[in-house]
């Protein structure tokens, strides 16, 4: 009997889909490969074979079938894995006695979801239905998103589930009831209920929206054995396949926004349930796609707390884009307004990369007179990103804050070092390799960069000695090309060549390696040791940079725009260049 069910489940569960929920898989011939979820690795050595229905890791040696995968991944016993996969495949598993405690709690949550859904459909649900219809949600919509109604009575859920054999302790552990002086009472009363499921679709918590009366507008389950707020996103279980297909996720603030976007075909939407985003949530999204579009309402999107959350996502390796809506609307209102669908799509298409969004906020704040504080916040934010990530925006940032490029780069390095020293966890984060946001160039087209700059970059690349001994500010100043400058900045702030190269390969970014090989060929034409080549190139380059500055100052002087300091700089340069 058990063998029969095992075979049935193996047939019904798609191993690529199952593993794909937690591992980013890439098709390689007949198999799929990805980064092993059971050991820490940077190069994929984890293989899934759909033909054989197996998985294997060449790194840590683990492997098996769908059962061993969920047992290993979810920490389940074999009977629990049977039930878990049976539920997933829609195959009924005969009930066992003494089931694992967590499994019991999951089923208690399912019972609660069912109870609240039935209440919404019944006579007591009229208030809830009234609220939903005011929000333009039909009863079909309520069904599709499993919405429910928690009656106003004190012990409705408690009594109903106790009659079904659920213990008081289980209800408490699930956070469904609260221990009072005269016994337990329901946590959710007089609220519309939104079930929160984890990435594999198990109910783990509830959200409740008050309809009238007193109390917080939204109430969520407390954290407990099933629910960890930091590690979940609302509707991710429904959205994950669409995120994978569309290559992006859309992140909104609240339940209603997320539901509305799904109803309008944006099935890649999840809600953050608060704006303090966590690294865990970022990694969860990154399993399915590298791009995240943040759709908060305009008030929220400009707040510092929100920005910090966005940087958390970016630092965890997501490319963050910020969507802005005209007129301070939230996504839910916008989609329901006339022509809202088009406006919404337009806003998503015009979403700005996080750095540019932040520069825009900075400019607005500076106009209102908060220049110094805003500049500080802007640079603090930027310093969370690596030099490589910032490279495409350096000129824009420098222009916005009114610092020359090289000074900006050294200011950012100073802030980064401060961050590293201030906290050990920050240090480990900042030391991690970050993905690139560089403009990519085809490998076939040779980069249109100055050969001497590429040569300097190549020498930095091959010489650890140079990377640790050279002055960051001086070296950065020698690069005119922002992309090369970004890579040089990364190397000088401790990024390792091999991890950068790995990252570029993964990102399909061919520009850096072709620039480096261009630099290598250029260096071959020079004589002497690598150190001698460096000295020659950097002296030439230093002179060229000075000449360019000299010409710039001279023009300013003729136009009568040069300040006394700039005049002094001009005369110093003139004397140096004559030598
Ligand atoms: Zn492994």
């Amino acid at each position: 009997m058990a063998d029969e069910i095992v075979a049935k489940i193996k047939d019904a569960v798609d191993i690529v889909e199952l593993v794909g929920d937690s591992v980013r898989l890439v098709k390689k011939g007949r198999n799929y490969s990805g980064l092993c979820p059971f050991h820490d690795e940077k190069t994929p050595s984890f293989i899934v074979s759909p033909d054989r229905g197996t998985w294997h890791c060449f790194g840590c040696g683990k492997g098996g079938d769908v059962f061993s995968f969920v047992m290993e991944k979810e920490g389940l016993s074999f009977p629990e894995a049977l039930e878990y996969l049976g539920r997933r495949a829609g195959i009924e598993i005969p009930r066992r006695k003494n089931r694992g405690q967590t499994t019991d709690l999951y089923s208690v949550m399912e019972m609660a979801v069912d109870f609240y859904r039935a209440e919404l459909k019944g006579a007591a649900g009229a208030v809830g239905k009234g609220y939903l219809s005011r929000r333009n949600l039909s009863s079909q919509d309520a069904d599709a998103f499993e919405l429910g109604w928690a009656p106003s009575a004190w012990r409705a859920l408690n009594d109903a589930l106790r009659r079904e054999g659920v213990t008081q302790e289980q209800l408490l552990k699930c956070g469904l009831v609260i221990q009072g002086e005269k016994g337990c009472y329901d946590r959710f009363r007089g609220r519309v209920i939104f079930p929160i499921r984890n990435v594999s679709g198990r109910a783990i918590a509830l959200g409740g929206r008050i309809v009238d009366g007193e109390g917080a507008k939204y109430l969520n389950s407390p954290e407990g054995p099933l629910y960890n707020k930091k590690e979940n996103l609302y509707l991710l279980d429904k959205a994950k396949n669409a995120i994978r297909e569309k290559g992006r996720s859309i992140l909104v603030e609240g339940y209603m926004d997320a539901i509305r976007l799904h109803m309008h075909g944006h099935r890649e939407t999840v809600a953050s349930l608060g704006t303090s985003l966590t690294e865990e949530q970022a990694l969860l999204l990154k399993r399915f796609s590298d791009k995240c579009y943040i759709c908060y309402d305009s008030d929220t999107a400009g707040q510092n707390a929100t920005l910090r959350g966005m940087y958390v996502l970016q630092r965890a390796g997501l490319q963050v884009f910020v969507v802005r809506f005209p007129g301070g609307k939230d996504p839910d209102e916008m989609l329901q307004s006339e022509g809202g669908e088009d406006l919404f799509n337009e806003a998503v298409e015009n979403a700005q990369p996080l750095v540019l969004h932040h520069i825009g906020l900075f400019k607005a704040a500076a106009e209102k007179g908060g220049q110094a504080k805003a500049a500080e916040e802007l640079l603090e934010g930027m310093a969370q990103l690596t030099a490589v990530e910032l490279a495409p925006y350096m000129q824009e940032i420098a222009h916005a804050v009114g610092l020359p490029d090289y000074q900006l780069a050294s200011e950012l390095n100073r802030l980064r070092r401060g961050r590293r020293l201030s906290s050990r966890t920050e240090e480990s984060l900042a030391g991690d390799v970050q993905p690139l946001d560089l403009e990519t160039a085809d490998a076939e087209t040779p980069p249109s960069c100055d050969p001497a700059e590429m040569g300097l970059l190549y020498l930095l690349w091959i010489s650890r000695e140079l990377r640790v001994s050279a002055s960051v500010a001086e070296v950065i100043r020698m690069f005119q090309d922002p992309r090369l400058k970004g890579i040089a900045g990364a190397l000088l702030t401790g990024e390792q060549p091999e991890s950068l190269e790995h990252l570029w390969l993964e990102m399909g970014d061919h520009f850096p390696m072709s620039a480096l090989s261009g630099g290598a060929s250029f260096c071959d034409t020079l004589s002497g040791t690598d150190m001698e080549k460096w000295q020659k190139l950097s002296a030439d380059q230093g002179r060229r940079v000075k000449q360019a500055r000299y010409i710039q100052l001279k023009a300013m002087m003729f136009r009568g725009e040069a300040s006394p300091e700039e005049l002094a700089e001009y005369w110093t340069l003139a004397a140096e260049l004559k030598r």
Side-chain angles (χ1 to χ4, degrees):
M1 177 61 191
D3 285 354
E4 215 172 279
I5 288 172
V6 168
K8 242 174 152 180
I9 287 178
K10 277 195 178 183
D11 275 349
V13 174
D14 179 346
I15 191 167
V16 173
E17 205 177 280
L18 175 77
V19 175
D21 282 353
S22 50
V23 180
R24 189 106 169 269
L25 292 173
V26 178
K27 197 161 199 302
K28 289 270 160 69
R30 299 166 73 90
N31 296 336
Y32 288 78
S33 81
L35 295 175
C36 176
F38 304 117
H39 83 279
D40 196 24
E41 63 174 0
K42 296 234 153 74
T43 341
S45 47
F46 179 87
I47 305 288
V48 177
S49 161
D51 298 345
R52 292 194 301 268
T54 57
W55 58 278
H56 179 74
C57 173
F58 291 96
C60 63
K62 287 190 172 151
D65 57 11
V66 285
F67 290 101
S68 49
F69 185 80
V70 295
M71 287 162 71
E72 192 80 43
K73 192 81 206 353
E74 312 284 334
L76 303 181
S77 63
F78 180 66
E80 284 169 342
L82 256 183
E83 191 172 328
Y84 178 97
L85 291 172
R87 217 173 57 85
R88 192 181 163 106
I91 293 168
E92 182 100 29
I93 310 292
R95 292 223 140 204
R96 296 172 292 112
K97 291 186 193 101
N98 306 322
R99 286 172 304 154
Q101 194 206 34
T102 323
T103 315
D104 284 345
L105 293 183
Y106 282 124
S107 21
V108 171
M109 284 306 297
E110 289 298 342
M111 288 166 81
V113 170
D114 289 346
F115 171 81
Y116 288 132
R117 290 182 67 186
E119 285 295 311
L120 181 67
K121 288 175 186 158
V127 183
K129 277 195 286 246
Y131 169 79
L132 292 174
S133 86
R134 284 197 299 283
R135 299 296 300 259
N136 280 326
L137 289 177
S138 68
S139 51
Q140 285 91 333
D141 299 330
D143 258 345
F145 296 94
E146 304 179 292
L147 307 186
W149 172 250
S152 313
W154 283 87
R155 302 166 58 93
L157 176 85
N158 186 76
D159 293 352
L161 265 58
R162 290 299 304 275
R163 279 197 297 274
E164 300 275 319
V166 175
T167 67
Q168 198 68 73
E169 198 196 343
Q170 288 174 319
L171 287 169
L172 280 164
K173 277 195 173 152
C174 286
L176 292 166
V177 300
I178 295 170
Q179 179 75 57
E181 278 173 26
K182 295 180 213 152
C184 289
Y185 59 94
D186 291 358
R187 178 179 300 273
F188 298 95
R189 298 180 313 279
R191 287 173 185 269
V192 168
I193 296 293
F194 301 83
I196 300 171
R197 294 183 176 276
N198 67 12
V199 64
S200 10
R202 307 194 101 176
I204 50 170
L206 302 174
R209 167 70 158 87
I210 205 159
V211 170
D212 42 36
E214 303 212 332
K217 196 162 145 194
Y218 283 98
L219 179 69
N220 286 340
S221 297
E223 301 207 327
L226 297 187
Y227 181 49
N228 181 348
K229 188 166 180 273
K230 288 198 304 190
E231 290 174 358
N232 288 285
L233 290 158
Y234 179 61
L235 290 190
L236 182 59
D237 60 311
K238 276 188 187 310
K240 62 190 178 190
N241 287 331
I243 296 176
R244 211 179 348 229
E245 280 160 24
K246 298 190 180 183
R248 71 169 188 209
S249 53
I250 295 182
L251 184 66
V252 295
E253 268 176 88
Y255 303 105
M256 290 304 287
D257 289 333
I259 289 176
R260 185 73 58 198
L261 262 72
H262 273 252
M263 285 166 60
H264 283 259
H266 300 286
R267 290 175 302 105
E268 72 272 38
T269 306
V270 298
S272 54
L273 307 177
T275 49
S276 49
L277 299 164
T278 65
E279 202 194 344
E280 289 86 347
Q281 290 172 323
L283 295 174
L284 205 52
L285 286 174
K286 205 173 172 316
R287 282 187 201 167
F288 304 103
S289 153
D290 284 334
K291 286 193 185 133
C292 178
Y293 284 67
I294 298 189
C295 263
Y296 289 165
D297 64 38
S298 330
D299 289 349
T300 325
Q303 286 163 8
N304 278 323
T306 317
L307 276 168
R308 273 196 292 278
M310 296 180 189
Y311 277 107
V312 169
L313 297 192
Q314 180 99 29
R315 211 171 52 196
L318 284 168
Q319 294 172 43
V320 176
F321 296 85
V322 184
V323 181
R324 289 193 294 187
F325 299 119
K329 285 198 165 129
D330 64 34
D332 183 22
E333 287 169 338
M334 168 147 242
L335 279 168
Q336 291 185 73
S337 63
E338 207 183 305
E341 185 113 19
D342 291 340
L343 285 174
F344 181 87
N345 290 332
E346 204 175 297
V348 171
E349 258 165 48
N350 293 330
Q352 283 189 316
L354 173 57
V355 173
L356 292 184
H357 167 73
H358 197 171
I359 293 174
L361 292 176
F362 164 77
K363 285 181 178 162
E367 268 169 31
K368 285 185 197 147
Q371 170 107 26
K373 189 164 181 298
E376 203 177 295
E377 281 160 7
L378 181 72
L379 293 179
E380 279 289 342
M382 311 269 143
Q384 300 188 36
L385 309 182
T386 64
V388 182
E389 283 179 294
L390 284 179
Y393 313 112
M394 284 300 272
Q395 278 173 339
E396 190 118 8
I397 304 166
H399 186 73
V401 296
L403 284 178
D405 284 15
Y406 65 89
Q407 211 173 324
L408 172 64
S410 70
E411 178 65 12
L412 287 170
N413 279 326
R414 190 183 63 76
L415 288 168
R416 281 192 197 105
R417 277 196 298 274
R419 286 175 56 80
R420 283 174 204 216
L421 292 176
S422 70
S423 131
R424 291 198 65 82
T425 40
E426 293 293 334
E427 186 180 9
S428 67
L429 274 175
D432 276 353
V433 181
Q434 304 288 327
L436 307 180
D437 209 1
L438 293 175
E439 250 176 72
T440 52
D442 288 336
E444 298 83 55
T445 38
S448 55
C449 300
D450 178 62
E453 283 187 31
M454 294 194 293
L456 282 165
L457 188 67
Y458 169 73
L459 292 168
L460 271 182
W461 179 263
I462 57 169
S463 166
R464 194 183 163 273
E465 193 191 338
L466 268 177
R467 293 199 297 275
V468 294
S469 64
S471 141
V472 178
E474 262 172 45
V475 174
I476 290 290
R477 212 177 317 184
M478 292 192 286
F479 290 92
Q480 307 287 303
D481 186 300
R483 294 167 298 181
L484 299 182
K485 191 189 292 223
I487 300 168
L491 286 170
L492 289 165
T493 47
E495 302 273 17
Q496 293 307 306
E498 48 277 20
S499 42
L500 284 174
E501 181 178 357
H502 178 116
L503 201 60
W504 293 326
L505 288 173
E506 256 184 359
M507 305 286 295
D509 181 0
H510 303 296
F511 168 78
M513 290 316 287
S514 67
L516 284 164
S517 66
S521 319
F522 179 73
C523 285
D524 285 344
T525 65
L526 307 173
S527 57
T529 64
D530 287 341
M531 202 46 95
E532 285 161 357
K533 290 177 186 176
W534 171 265
Q535 272 150 7
K536 177 177 182 338
L537 282 179
S538 56
D540 289 354
Q541 195 66 9
R543 195 174 166 83
R544 277 180 44 193
V545 171
K546 278 181 187 164
Q547 261 161 353
R549 177 70 177 153
Y550 172 78
I551 291 165
Q552 187 191 16
L553 287 168
K554 194 170 179 177
M556 286 166 74
M557 208 172 70
F558 277 119
R559 289 197 303 268
E561 290 167 358
S563 67
E565 292 79 30
E566 282 161 344
L567 279 177
E569 190 188 349
Y570 170 80
W571 291 115
T572 317
L573 279 175
E576 275 181 35
L577 290 168
K578 266 191 202 118
R579 256 184 261 145

